[in-house]
Amino acid sequence: MLEWVRRETLLDVSINFIPIVILLLLDLLFLVVYPWQRGTVSSIGTHVLTLFPVVVLAFATYHASRAIELDAAGDQ
């Protein structure tokens, strides 16, 4: 599936994996241990504020790795 990704590229974009994991764990924490009263608006808002950045960061990471690979392929 990811045969176009080299080890060096993974090292370059691995810095983005840490915030993705932190945001996913935070969302899981809000889902499992929700200390406030469960309301629909606050619950949806909490999940949107944690999952939207995960999607954006994953999208940016994917395109950054593609750009790094294309640049490395052009230099050879």
Side-chain angles (χ1 to χ4, degrees), residues 3-71:
E3 60 273 352
W4 53 268
V5 178
R6 295 178 308 154
R7 182 175 178 266
E8 292 84 15
T9 303
L10 286 176
L11 289 174
D12 289 338
V13 296
S14 66
I15 194 70
N16 291 343
F17 295 137
I18 295 168
I20 289 174
V21 169
I22 290 171
L23 285 169
L24 288 175
L25 288 175
L26 184 63
D27 191 60
L28 182 67
L29 181 69
F30 279 134
L31 187 65
V32 173
V33 184
Y34 199 77
W36 303 281
Q37 183 179 6
R38 291 190 185 266
T40 56
V41 174
S42 63
S43 179
I44 291 171
T46 300
H47 293 297
V48 166
L49 288 174
T50 53
L51 292 178
F52 180 71
V54 169
V55 171
V56 171
L57 190 57
F59 182 76
T61 303
Y62 172 76
H63 285 289
S65 63
R66 291 292 292 194
I68 292 170
E69 282 296 319
L70 288 175
D71 186 48

